[in-house]
Amino acid sequence: MTLLSDQADAVRALVESADPGAVWAVGGPDGPYACSGGADDVLDAGGLTAVLALWPTVGTLVGEGALRLHTPLAAYGDEAAAGTPAGTTAHHLLTHPGGTAALTRLVEHLCGSTLAEAAATRVWHPLGMTRTRLADGTLRAPLADLALFLRHLLHPSAPGAPSAPGAPSAASAQSIANGSNDPGDTSGPTPLTRAWTAESLRIRTGELTPARGLLWHPAPHGVWTHHAPADPGPAVWISPRHHRWAVLLPAAPGPLRTTFREAVFTPAAPARSSTSNGVPRA
């Protein structure tokens, strides 16, 4: 469901009041519904490296059968299992805090390249994220690229189907800044399957707390999130139930991450009028 104009205005007013320097966007499968300015500005998104580089690259390895989540790392060689307890699997690393360093080492071992090179080749370039870079341990990307990544996760095309959308070229970044819903080029295979996203966005930790998916964390109202541990820090949200995604890169500390998420995803009361500032029920 799309964001109505008055609702977009309410989200914009919330961000401008709480953190005028924040960069944000809200959208769905076809692109952004509303966003701040500066879609072409390359931003520090370092707190999102795990979900924008590591998680999707793991997904491509799983999709091609090069990695099985429940196979002990030792099966992939001593280098892949170095520094981990006996019996550790990729599933363990994806669902437990502190597993990203070992998971990065595993991915680089299986890909035969650095994580930055693997993510660029397997994920970012196929999606048209041509200005996203991981260098010196810091992920940098424009808002337009973040929107391309998140909308890809919600697109209703079949897993890996050739008809699934690619991404708008760099020349269409301005249309993203203007809130265009043009789905862009619809040719070429998708780097991530719907199956991988679905498997990641469900509780994978049983009754253990905190509950986790595969590098994604559950939030209220059927929303999944990944965010930097420090505040302020960037955050992304995705909700297949609402057919909606959101990204926020705060500039100042404060509770904006929580209030922003609630403004974007909290279902509206049934009696609320069309001029309400709430978000419509999905």
Coordinates of all heavy atoms in Angstrom, one line a residue, residues 65-124:
G65 N 24.1 -23.0 -4.2 CA 24.5 -24.3 -3.6 C 25.9 -24.3 -3.1 O 26.4 -25.4 -2.7
A66 N 26.6 -23.2 -3.1 CA 28.0 -23.2 -2.6 C 28.1 -23.2 -1.1 O 29.1 -23.4 -0.6 CB 28.7 -22.0 -3.2
L67 N 27.0 -22.9 -0.4 CA 26.9 -22.8 1.0 C 25.6 -23.3 1.5 O 24.6 -23.0 1.0 CB 27.1 -21.3 1.5 CG 27.0 -21.0 3.0 CD1 28.1 -21.7 3.7 CD2 27.0 -19.5 3.2
R68 N 25.7 -24.2 2.5 CA 24.6 -24.7 3.2 C 24.6 -24.2 4.7 O 25.6 -24.4 5.4 CB 24.5 -26.3 3.2 CG 24.4 -26.8 1.8 CD 24.3 -28.3 1.7 NE 24.1 -28.8 0.4 CZ 23.0 -28.9 -0.3 NH1 21.9 -28.6 0.4 NH2 22.9 -29.4 -1.5
L69 N 23.5 -23.7 5.1 CA 23.5 -23.0 6.4 C 23.8 -23.9 7.6 O 24.3 -23.4 8.6 CB 22.1 -22.2 6.6 CG 21.8 -21.1 5.6 CD1 20.5 -20.4 6.1 CD2 22.9 -20.1 5.5
H70 N 23.4 -25.1 7.5 CA 23.5 -26.0 8.7 C 24.7 -27.0 8.5 O 24.8 -27.9 9.3 CB 22.2 -26.8 8.9 CG 21.1 -25.9 9.3 ND1 20.9 -25.3 10.5 CD2 20.1 -25.4 8.5 CE1 19.8 -24.6 10.5 NE2 19.3 -24.6 9.3
T71 N 25.6 -26.8 7.6 CA 26.8 -27.6 7.4 C 27.9 -26.9 8.2 O 28.1 -25.7 8.1 CB 27.2 -27.6 5.9 OG1 26.2 -28.3 5.2 CG2 28.5 -28.4 5.8
P72 N 28.6 -27.7 9.1 CA 29.7 -27.1 9.8 C 30.7 -26.5 8.9 O 31.0 -26.9 7.8 CB 30.3 -28.4 10.5 CG 29.2 -29.3 10.7 CD 28.4 -29.1 9.4
L73 N 31.3 -25.3 9.4 CA 32.2 -24.6 8.6 C 33.4 -25.4 8.2 O 34.0 -25.1 7.2 CB 32.6 -23.3 9.3 CG 31.5 -22.3 9.8 CD1 32.1 -21.1 10.3 CD2 30.6 -22.0 8.6
A74 N 33.8 -26.3 9.0 CA 35.0 -27.1 8.8 C 34.9 -27.9 7.4 O 35.9 -28.2 6.8 CB 35.2 -28.1 9.9
A75 N 33.6 -28.1 7.0 CA 33.5 -28.8 5.7 C 33.9 -28.0 4.5 O 34.2 -28.5 3.4 CB 32.0 -29.1 5.5
Y76 N 34.1 -26.7 4.7 CA 34.6 -25.8 3.7 C 36.1 -25.5 3.8 O 36.6 -24.7 3.0 CB 33.8 -24.5 3.7 CG 32.3 -24.7 3.6 CD1 31.4 -24.6 4.6 CD2 31.7 -25.1 2.3 CE1 30.1 -24.9 4.5 CE2 30.4 -25.3 2.2 CZ 29.6 -25.2 3.3 OH 28.2 -25.5 3.1
G77 N 36.7 -26.2 4.7 CA 38.2 -26.0 4.8 C 38.6 -25.4 6.2 O 37.8 -24.7 6.8
D78 N 39.8 -25.6 6.5 CA 40.3 -25.1 7.8 C 40.2 -23.5 7.9 O 39.9 -23.0 8.9 CB 41.8 -25.5 8.0 CG 41.9 -27.0 8.2 OD1 40.9 -27.6 8.6 OD2 43.0 -27.6 8.1
E79 N 40.5 -22.9 6.8 CA 40.5 -21.4 6.7 C 39.1 -20.9 7.0 O 38.9 -19.9 7.7 CB 41.0 -20.9 5.4 CG 41.0 -19.4 5.3 CD 41.5 -18.9 4.0 OE1 42.1 -19.7 3.2 OE2 41.3 -17.7 3.7
A80 N 38.1 -21.6 6.5 CA 36.7 -21.2 6.7 C 36.3 -21.3 8.1 O 35.4 -20.5 8.6 CB 35.8 -22.0 5.8
A81 N 36.8 -22.3 8.8 CA 36.4 -22.5 10.2 C 37.3 -21.9 11.2 O 37.1 -22.0 12.4 CB 36.3 -24.0 10.4
A82 N 38.4 -21.2 10.8 CA 39.4 -20.7 11.7 C 38.7 -19.8 12.8 O 37.9 -18.9 12.4 CB 40.5 -20.0 11.0
G83 N 39.1 -20.0 14.0 CA 38.6 -19.1 15.1 C 37.2 -19.3 15.6 O 36.7 -18.6 16.4
T84 N 36.6 -20.4 15.1 CA 35.2 -20.7 15.5 C 35.2 -22.0 16.3 O 36.0 -22.9 16.0 CB 34.2 -20.7 14.3 OG1 34.7 -21.8 13.5 CG2 34.2 -19.4 13.6
P85 N 34.3 -22.2 17.2 CA 34.1 -23.5 17.9 C 33.8 -24.6 17.0 O 33.1 -24.4 16.0 CB 33.0 -23.2 19.0 CG 32.9 -21.7 19.1 CD 33.3 -21.2 17.8
A86 N 34.2 -25.8 17.3 CA 33.8 -27.0 16.5 C 32.3 -27.1 16.4 O 31.5 -26.8 17.3 CB 34.4 -28.2 17.2
G87 N 31.9 -27.4 15.1 CA 30.5 -27.5 14.9 C 29.8 -26.2 14.5 O 28.6 -26.3 14.1
T88 N 30.5 -25.1 14.5 CA 29.8 -23.9 14.1 C 29.4 -23.9 12.7 O 30.1 -24.4 11.8 CB 30.8 -22.7 14.3 OG1 31.1 -22.6 15.7 CG2 30.2 -21.4 13.8
T89 N 28.2 -23.4 12.4 CA 27.6 -23.3 11.1 C 27.4 -21.9 10.7 O 27.4 -21.0 11.5 CB 26.3 -24.1 11.0 OG1 25.3 -23.4 11.8 CG2 26.4 -25.5 11.5
A90 N 27.1 -21.7 9.4 CA 26.7 -20.3 8.9 C 25.4 -19.8 9.6 O 25.3 -18.7 9.9 CB 26.6 -20.3 7.4
H91 N 24.5 -20.8 9.9 CA 23.3 -20.4 10.6 C 23.6 -19.8 11.9 O 23.0 -18.8 12.3 CB 22.4 -21.6 10.7 CG 21.0 -21.3 11.3 ND1 20.8 -21.3 12.6 CD2 19.9 -21.0 10.6 CE1 19.5 -21.0 12.8 NE2 18.9 -20.8 11.7
H92 N 24.5 -20.4 12.6 CA 24.9 -19.9 13.9 C 25.4 -18.4 13.8 O 25.0 -17.5 14.6 CB 26.1 -20.7 14.6 CG 25.6 -22.1 15.0 ND1 26.5 -23.2 14.8 CD2 24.5 -22.5 15.5 CE1 25.8 -24.3 15.3 NE2 24.6 -23.9 15.7
L93 N 26.3 -18.2 12.8 CA 26.8 -16.9 12.6 C 25.8 -15.8 12.2 O 25.9 -14.7 12.6 CB 28.0 -16.9 11.6 CG 29.1 -17.9 11.9 CD1 30.1 -17.9 10.7 CD2 29.8 -17.6 13.2
L94 N 24.8 -16.3 11.5 CA 23.8 -15.3 11.0 C 22.8 -15.0 12.1 O 22.1 -14.0 11.9 CB 23.0 -16.0 9.8 CG 23.8 -16.0 8.5 CD1 23.1 -17.0 7.5 CD2 23.8 -14.6 7.8
T95 N 22.7 -15.8 13.1 CA 21.6 -15.6 14.1 C 22.2 -15.2 15.5 O 21.4 -15.0 16.4 CB 20.8 -16.8 14.3 OG1 21.6 -17.9 14.6 CG2 20.0 -17.1 13.0
H96 N 23.5 -15.0 15.6 CA 24.1 -14.7 16.9 C 24.9 -13.4 16.8 O 25.6 -13.2 15.8 CB 24.9 -15.8 17.4 CG 24.2 -17.0 17.9 ND1 23.6 -17.9 17.0 CD2 23.8 -17.5 19.1 CE1 23.0 -18.9 17.6 NE2 23.1 -18.6 18.9
P97 N 24.8 -12.5 17.8 CA 25.6 -11.3 17.7 C 27.1 -11.7 17.7 O 27.5 -12.7 18.3 CB 25.2 -10.6 19.0 CG 24.7 -11.7 19.9 CD 24.0 -12.7 19.0
G98 N 27.9 -10.9 17.0 CA 29.3 -11.1 17.0 C 29.8 -12.1 16.0 O 31.0 -12.5 15.9
G99 N 28.9 -12.6 15.1 CA 29.2 -13.6 14.1 C 29.7 -13.0 12.8 O 30.1 -13.8 11.9
T100 N 29.6 -11.7 12.6 CA 29.8 -11.1 11.3 C 31.3 -11.3 10.8 O 31.5 -11.5 9.6 CB 29.4 -9.7 11.2 OG1 30.1 -8.9 12.3 CG2 27.9 -9.5 11.4
A101 N 32.2 -11.2 11.8 CA 33.7 -11.3 11.4 C 33.9 -12.7 10.8 O 34.6 -12.8 9.7 CB 34.6 -11.0 12.5
A102 N 33.5 -13.7 11.5 CA 33.7 -15.1 11.0 C 32.9 -15.3 9.7 O 33.4 -16.0 8.8 CB 33.3 -16.1 12.1
L103 N 31.7 -14.8 9.6 CA 30.9 -14.9 8.4 C 31.6 -14.2 7.2 O 31.6 -14.8 6.1 CB 29.5 -14.4 8.7 CG 28.4 -14.7 7.6 CD1 28.2 -16.2 7.5 CD2 27.1 -14.0 8.0
T104 N 32.1 -13.1 7.5 CA 32.9 -12.4 6.4 C 34.0 -13.2 5.9 O 34.3 -13.3 4.7 CB 33.4 -11.0 6.9 OG1 32.2 -10.2 7.3 CG2 34.2 -10.3 5.8
R105 N 34.8 -13.8 6.8 CA 35.9 -14.7 6.5 C 35.4 -15.9 5.6 O 36.0 -16.2 4.6 CB 36.6 -15.1 7.7 CG 37.9 -15.9 7.4 CD 38.8 -16.1 8.6 NE 38.0 -16.8 9.7 CZ 37.7 -16.2 10.9 NH1 38.0 -14.9 11.1 NH2 37.0 -16.9 11.8
L106 N 34.3 -16.5 6.0 CA 33.7 -17.6 5.3 C 33.4 -17.2 3.8 O 33.7 -17.9 2.9 CB 32.5 -18.1 6.0 CG 31.7 -19.2 5.3 CD1 32.5 -20.5 5.0 CD2 30.4 -19.5 6.0
V107 N 32.7 -16.0 3.7 CA 32.2 -15.5 2.4 C 33.4 -15.3 1.5 O 33.5 -15.6 0.3 CB 31.4 -14.3 2.6 CG1 31.2 -13.5 1.3 CG2 30.0 -14.6 3.2
E108 N 34.4 -14.6 2.1 CA 35.6 -14.3 1.3 C 36.4 -15.6 0.8 O 36.9 -15.7 -0.3 CB 36.5 -13.4 2.1 CG 35.9 -12.0 2.3 CD 36.8 -11.0 3.0 OE1 37.7 -11.5 3.8 OE2 36.6 -9.8 2.9
H109 N 36.3 -16.6 1.7 CA 37.0 -17.9 1.4 C 36.2 -18.5 0.2 O 36.8 -19.0 -0.7 CB 37.0 -18.8 2.6 CG 37.5 -20.2 2.3 ND1 38.8 -20.5 2.1 CD2 36.8 -21.3 2.3 CE1 38.9 -21.8 1.9 NE2 37.7 -22.3 2.0
L110 N 34.9 -18.5 0.3 CA 34.1 -19.2 -0.7 C 34.1 -18.5 -2.1 O 34.0 -19.1 -3.1 CB 32.7 -19.4 -0.2 CG 32.5 -20.4 0.9 CD1 31.0 -20.4 1.4 CD2 33.0 -21.8 0.6
C111 N 34.1 -17.1 -2.0 CA 34.1 -16.3 -3.2 C 35.5 -16.1 -3.8 O 35.6 -15.8 -5.0 CB 33.5 -14.9 -2.9 SG 31.7 -15.0 -2.5
G112 N 36.5 -16.3 -3.0 CA 37.8 -16.1 -3.5 C 38.1 -14.6 -3.8 O 38.9 -14.3 -4.6
S113 N 37.5 -13.7 -3.0 CA 37.7 -12.3 -3.2 C 37.3 -11.6 -1.9 O 36.7 -12.3 -0.9 CB 36.8 -11.8 -4.3 OG 35.4 -11.9 -4.0
T114 N 37.5 -10.3 -1.8 CA 37.1 -9.6 -0.6 C 35.6 -9.5 -0.6 O 34.9 -9.6 -1.6 CB 37.7 -8.2 -0.6 OG1 37.2 -7.4 -1.7 CG2 39.2 -8.2 -0.6
L115 N 35.0 -9.2 0.6 CA 33.6 -9.0 0.7 C 33.2 -7.8 -0.2 O 32.1 -7.9 -0.9 CB 33.2 -8.7 2.1 CG 31.7 -8.3 2.3 CD1 30.8 -9.5 1.9 CD2 31.4 -8.0 3.8
A116 N 34.0 -6.8 -0.3 CA 33.6 -5.6 -1.1 C 33.5 -6.0 -2.6 O 32.6 -5.6 -3.3 CB 34.7 -4.5 -0.9
E117 N 34.4 -6.8 -3.1 CA 34.4 -7.2 -4.5 C 33.3 -8.2 -4.7 O 32.6 -8.1 -5.8 CB 35.7 -7.9 -4.8 CG 36.9 -7.0 -4.8 CD 38.3 -7.7 -4.8 OE1 38.3 -8.9 -4.5 OE2 39.3 -7.1 -5.2
A118 N 33.0 -9.1 -3.8 CA 31.9 -10.1 -3.9 C 30.6 -9.4 -4.0 O 29.7 -9.7 -4.8 CB 32.0 -11.1 -2.8
A119 N 30.4 -8.5 -3.0 CA 29.1 -7.8 -3.0 C 28.8 -6.9 -4.2 O 27.7 -6.9 -4.8 CB 29.0 -6.9 -1.7
A120 N 29.9 -6.2 -4.7 CA 29.7 -5.4 -5.9 C 29.4 -6.3 -7.1 O 28.5 -5.9 -7.9 CB 31.0 -4.6 -6.1
T121 N 30.1 -7.4 -7.3 CA 29.9 -8.2 -8.4 C 28.6 -9.0 -8.4 O 27.8 -9.1 -9.4 CB 31.0 -9.3 -8.6 OG1 32.3 -8.5 -8.7 CG2 30.8 -10.2 -9.8
R122 N 28.2 -9.5 -7.2 CA 27.1 -10.4 -7.1 C 25.8 -9.7 -6.8 O 24.7 -10.2 -7.1 CB 27.3 -11.4 -5.9 CG 28.4 -12.4 -6.2 CD 28.8 -13.2 -5.0 NE 29.6 -14.4 -5.3 CZ 29.1 -15.6 -5.5 NH1 27.8 -15.9 -5.3 NH2 29.9 -16.6 -5.8
V123 N 25.8 -8.5 -6.2 CA 24.6 -7.8 -5.7 C 24.5 -6.4 -6.2 O 23.5 -6.1 -6.9 CB 24.6 -7.8 -4.1 CG1 23.3 -7.2 -3.7 CG2 24.7 -9.2 -3.6
W124 N 25.4 -5.5 -5.9 CA 25.2 -4.1 -6.2 C 25.1 -3.8 -7.6 O 24.2 -3.1 -8.1 CB 26.3 -3.3 -5.5 CG 26.4 -3.5 -4.0 CD1 25.4 -3.9 -3.2 CD2 27.5 -3.3 -3.2 NE1 25.8 -3.9 -1.9 CE2 27.1 -3.6 -1.8 CE3 28.9 -2.9 -3.4 CZ2 28.0 -3.5 -0.8 CZ3 29.7 -2.8 -2.3 CH2 29.3 -3.1 -1.0

